[in-house]
Amino acid sequence: MMKYTTILISVILLCCGNSKELSKNATTETLTKMERPSGPYKITFVHNSKDIPEELSINFDLTSNQVSGYSGCNNFTGTFNLEGNSIEIGPLASTRRMCDHFMDVEQHLLTTIETIDAFALVDDTLELKRENMVLIKAKQLKNQNSAQQNEHII
């Protein structure tokens, strides 16, 4: 009888321990999803660029691992991979429209995006970094209506 009681108590303890672990894993997975760049962002800062167009944007689609946006004259698209706070973006493709303004900013932005190796989310601001240096800052657009109003976000 003592053997069966011991086995029963062991099974109950193992089950309780596993449910706590499952709950912890579910919470960690939910938290991780919330801490990844997702949706449309308005680019507000590009390292070594003083005058940037207001319409610069970047959009992350976690379902397809696609990144897209507007770089000042042209739209761009590509893929990205996330692992923790590390991110690899590119290669990028863009439309080939010629513009009088911001062509140098556009080229600099696209080159910079492809060199990004990490990210941080600080409130509603995405920081894209290389070797711990912030190269791009982008403010998350609050809702899809905001994104749809900006025709350049794809």
Side-chain angles (χ1 to χ4, degrees):
M1 182 69 169
M2 185 63 125
K3 222 187 250 186
Y4 293 114
T5 306
T6 305
I7 292 173
L8 182 61
I9 290 172
S10 297
V11 169
I12 291 172
L13 289 175
L14 284 174
C15 289
C16 291
N18 284 343
S19 66
K20 286 180 183 177
E21 188 64 31
L22 287 174
S23 175
K24 180 181 176 186
N25 287 343
T27 302
T28 302
E29 185 177 321
T30 301
L31 187 60
T32 301
K33 284 182 181 177
M34 292 173 50
E35 293 176 346
R36 297 188 293 176
S38 176
Y41 293 82
K42 178 182 177 184
I43 296 174
T44 58
F45 168 81
V46 179
H47 181 69
N48 286 337
S49 293
K50 293 179 182 180
D51 185 26
I52 64 171
E54 278 193 41
E55 303 89 12
L56 294 184
S57 65
I58 192 164
N59 184 54
F60 293 90
D61 183 343
L62 293 175
T63 306
S64 63
N65 283 355
Q66 289 287 123
V67 62
S68 59
Y70 180 70
S71 53
C73 179
N74 292 286
N75 293 310
F76 66 88
T77 187
T79 58
F80 71 95
N81 292 306
L82 296 172
E83 189 173 317
N85 284 349
S86 295
I87 187 169
E88 182 181 339
I89 301 174
L92 297 176
S94 69
T95 54
R96 295 178 177 247
R97 204 171 95 200
M98 292 298 294
C99 299
D100 293 335
H101 303 292
F102 300 117
M103 288 301 291
D104 55 337
V105 172
E106 177 174 86
Q107 190 58 46
H108 176 64
L109 174 65
L110 294 173
T111 302
T112 301
I113 289 173
E114 288 186 320
T115 66
I116 299 298
D117 63 11
F119 72 92
L121 289 167
V122 181
D123 297 324
D124 62 349
T125 300
L126 171 64
E127 297 179 343
L128 297 173
K129 305 175 179 185
R130 182 180 62 232
E131 298 174 2
N132 291 324
M133 185 171 153
V134 176
L135 300 182
I136 297 172
K137 288 185 182 182
K139 194 157 185 85
Q140 186 161 37
L141 297 175
K142 296 294 182 192
N143 58 42
Q144 290 296 51
N145 290 338
S146 297
Q148 290 170 353
Q149 289 172 356
N150 187 343
E151 66 204 42
H152 300 296
I153 294 179
I154 57 174

